[in-house]
Amino acid sequence: MTRPITLLICALGGEGGGVLTEWLVGIARDSGFAAQSSSIPGVAQRTGATTYYLEVFPTPLAQLQGRRPVFSLNPVPGALDGLLSSELLETARQIGNGMVNPERTLVISASNRTLTTAEAMHGGDGRTASAPLLELIRQQARAHHLLDMSALARRHGTIVSAVMLGALAGSGLLPFPHVHYESVIRRSGRGAAASLAGFAAACALVGQQRTQTQVIADLLAEQEHSVPPRSALRPDLPPAIEARFPPQVRPMLALGLARVREYQDQAYAELYLRRLDRVLQAERAADAAEVQGFAVTSEMARWLALWMAFDDIVRVADLKSRASRWQRVRSEVKAGDQDLLNVYDHFKPGVPEFAALLPPRIAQSMLRWDARRVAAGKRPWALALKVGSHAVLGMLALRALASLKWLRVRGSRYATEQSMIDQWLAGVLAGTRRHWRLGHEIALCGRLIKGYGSTNERGKQNLLHVLEHLANGADPLAAALAVAAAREAALADEAGAALDATLLQHGAPARPLKEQPIRWQRPPKALAAGKRG
């Protein structure tokens, strides 16, 4: 070759893209090749995406007889030999910019996603689907390697740049001896062992993909049809429960049943099954031919389990005191065996959190007392706590709180949640009996129940308002369309203006306004003195 090998590196902020580029330049120098790198700072939706451009002349300097290659500082669209990216959407973004040439460019991309700000802020599921992004890579790249770089980095306790380097080494794109890849990592100092482990894992994975490519191509050429898909998932359900539900429902049922049982106990899991049984019977009556694949029951298996396993202080304490959480934190901060790690959890439970575990009569008295404080212009009462979960006393406190599952079912929050769940369940049953589509749309309204605190309360009130004013229309199909429109409006606009407009559009009243106290706050003394001066 008489032209350089061109490589564009795409990384997010904090992933070590600059370190990776320095490594590659050092490897080229050690291997006796001329190389030049440049960085192109940029800000993507997640803030901090930066690209690095590398050119390597494939002929060793010793064979150039004193001549020096001329390098470019910027990548040219369609003239890349390789694209190395640590995030799937960034890969697609560069393809959209025209950087990839289907006849020339090898794409090495992470299959994992880091959500953009717009995706994370969406009230519903605002994630960009990965399937079209993967298909875009397959269509536009000469060849491609996909791997979950984030998972590999976490597994080996290293940074993504070490995994990216291993993937690049395994691809064979650059003419560098393998030993120089490892030597430059060893010179990096602290963390070299973990980086070498991540490098080796990615290198081996991409190397396996390369060796299997030809075999797979031969198999595909021999077969007229693609390999049939894997048979339907057979969840690990007891035979008696499996016999009660159709195959289409069992995968989600298995997950939901395990979640509810782990959240409380077997009796709570039986309540979950009884509720689903009622939905299944209603759906069988509405769709006797089973053309809809029991979609109502499947959706209820998902959203009913999530609602029944609502977050409270017992649940939070249980999650924060698990051994898996401690292991995850150590992995995230890359703590070694000899490192001391202190973890402090900050809590600020208020009256609603304490009242949730108390009988309804006592809980209502406490809530009224707190409401009077707020009406008087004071802030809601809350207890600020700082718990060291790395210490024995802190962990004991969390485990003691997590052991209060028996108290949960006797508390006011449990009674309130079950009452609301029963109202939603009744709406699904009544809607399904009237028209399958109506029951399905009401079941999907379980998406409105998410988060905690005011977000969770707002979702429940929105759902009940939609049930009361839209689900009982004379025309069941029109009611189904109205429920669907209201649900999507509520998910798209957290403030609720879109939901109110949709309610009015379908002849339903807007949500009632809630009283909000007005607080007058004195300015700080220093600021007041400055104004007088």
Side-chain angles (χ1 to χ4, degrees):
M1 293 178 60
T2 58
R3 59 173 177 81
I5 300 173
T6 56
L7 174 67
L8 185 64
I9 302 170
C10 307
L12 302 183
E15 291 183 336
V19 173
L20 172 60
T21 306
E22 292 177 1
W23 279 347
L24 287 171
V25 173
I27 295 169
R29 185 183 304 112
D30 294 345
S31 304
F33 291 90
Q36 177 178 279
S37 67
S38 59
S39 62
I40 305 100
V43 178
Q45 295 93 330
R46 282 141 294 193
T47 69
T50 306
T51 54
Y52 301 85
Y53 182 58
L54 177 74
E55 289 194 356
V56 178
F57 199 73
T59 304
L61 285 171
Q63 300 179 18
L64 294 181
Q65 299 177 354
R67 295 175 297 171
R68 304 290 296 186
V70 177
F71 293 119
S72 174
L73 293 175
N74 299 308
V76 177
L80 287 179
D81 295 302
L83 173 66
L84 176 61
S85 174
S86 66
E87 203 274 341
L88 183 59
L89 188 59
E90 285 300 310
T91 308
R93 194 164 68 92
Q94 295 298 335
I95 294 176
N97 291 337
M99 304 306 296
V100 172
N101 186 331
E103 298 180 355
R104 176 174 174 177
T105 308
L106 167 68
V107 174
I108 306 171
S109 173
S111 59
N112 50 274
R113 287 291 325 282
T114 299
L115 298 184
T116 65
T117 302
E119 289 175 303
M121 292 178 62
H122 197 281
D125 187 356
R127 294 174 297 176
T128 299
S130 295
L133 305 181
L134 296 172
E135 184 61 27
L136 179 66
I137 295 174
R138 295 187 182 98
Q139 291 178 355
Q140 298 299 321
R142 171 184 62 82
H144 63 274
H145 297 290
L146 297 170
L147 60 158
D148 192 337
M149 296 183 181
S150 179
L152 284 174
R154 289 195 304 270
R155 187 181 309 154
H156 297 284
T158 185
I159 55 178
V160 174
S161 57
V163 175
M164 296 173 71
L165 184 66
L168 184 61
S171 72
L173 177 67
L174 299 177
F176 302 150
H178 191 86
V179 63
H180 292 309
Y181 285 96
E182 296 180 343
S183 63
V184 76
I185 295 178
R186 290 192 180 93
R187 294 199 300 266
S188 61
R190 185 185 179 191
S195 295
L196 283 171
F199 166 85
C203 184
L205 183 59
V206 173
Q208 292 172 4
Q209 293 178 5
R210 290 180 62 195
T211 57
Q212 294 171 356
T213 297
Q214 190 59 48
V215 176
I216 294 174
D218 293 341
L219 290 174
L220 291 177
E222 293 174 0
Q223 296 178 357
E224 182 179 356
H225 302 288
S226 61
V227 178
R230 189 165 57 109
S231 59
L233 177 65
R234 301 293 292 178
D236 185 16
L237 287 171
I241 297 177
E242 187 173 293
R244 290 162 56 182
F245 293 90
Q248 298 93 321
V249 178
R250 292 170 192 165
M252 193 58 66
L253 170 64
L255 296 174
L257 183 63
R259 184 184 184 96
V260 173
R261 185 189 294 116
E262 183 266 343
Y263 176 80
Q264 188 61 37
D265 51 26
Q266 182 60 33
Y268 202 46
E270 290 296 334
L271 175 61
Y272 171 74
L273 290 173
R274 290 196 299 271
R275 284 168 166 167
L276 276 186
D277 263 327
R278 297 172 62 190
V279 177
L280 178 61
Q281 298 309 316
E283 185 170 21
R284 278 178 167 155
D287 182 25
E290 302 180 2
V291 296
Q292 304 295 344
F294 299 98
V296 176
T297 309
S298 296
E299 291 296 339
M300 285 297 290
R302 178 203 306 263
W303 303 114
L304 179 61
L306 292 175
W307 193 345
M308 290 182 66
F310 56 88
D311 285 331
D312 57 6
I313 56 177
V314 176
R315 176 70 169 173
V316 172
D318 180 32
L319 295 176
K320 287 185 175 294
S321 58
R322 292 185 179 184
S324 58
R325 191 244 182 173
W326 179 257
Q327 295 169 358
R328 176 175 56 83
V329 171
R330 289 190 65 89
S331 174
E332 289 178 351
V333 301
K334 299 179 177 60
D337 295 336
Q338 305 300 321
D339 294 330
L340 296 178
L341 177 62
N342 291 350
V343 178
Y344 293 95
D345 289 298
H346 295 265
F347 302 91
K348 199 173 183 180
V351 170
E353 284 74 25
F354 288 105
L357 297 178
L358 298 176
R361 180 174 298 180
I362 300 176
Q364 290 301 321
S365 298
M366 293 180 61
L367 292 172
R368 286 194 295 268
W369 170 78
D370 198 43
R372 289 194 297 269
R373 284 175 48 87
V374 175
K378 299 180 181 179
R379 295 189 178 276
W381 182 87
L383 178 63
L385 299 173
K386 180 181 178 181
V387 179
S389 53
H390 61 279
V392 174
L393 291 180
M395 183 58 68
L396 286 176
L398 290 177
R399 292 312 305 167
L401 189 56
S403 68
L404 297 180
K405 288 184 178 182
W406 61 272
L407 190 59
R408 174 190 282 147
V409 297
R410 296 167 174 79
S412 61
R413 170 81 185 276
Y414 179 86
T416 301
E417 296 291 343
Q418 300 309 315
S419 175
M420 289 185 175
I421 290 173
D422 286 337
Q423 292 181 59
W424 174 49
L425 179 62
V428 172
L429 294 173
T432 304
R433 294 187 184 107
R434 294 181 63 199
H435 193 288
W436 180 90
R437 173 73 183 277
L438 178 58
H440 186 246
E441 296 296 347
I442 297 175
L444 288 173
C445 285
R447 296 175 60 193
L448 299 175
I449 312 303
K450 58 180 61 184
Y452 52 89
S454 60
T455 300
N456 182 266
E457 292 298 322
R458 183 168 53 251
K460 290 183 290 192
Q461 295 303 322
N462 289 345
L463 186 151
L464 296 180
H465 192 87
V466 168
L467 280 179
E468 180 180 357
H469 297 285
L470 291 181
N472 299 317
D475 183 353
L477 186 55
L481 297 176
V483 169
R487 182 185 68 248
E488 295 305 319
L491 292 172
D493 177 20
E494 185 178 351
L499 174 59
D500 290 335
T502 304
L503 290 168
L504 294 174
Q505 179 183 352
H506 289 86
R511 300 168 304 154
L513 295 176
K514 292 186 177 181
E515 295 181 352
Q516 296 291 339
I518 299 176
R519 297 189 182 91
W520 301 95
Q521 185 173 354
R522 296 179 181 275
K525 293 183 178 180
L527 180 60
K531 288 184 176 180
R532 288 195 299 269

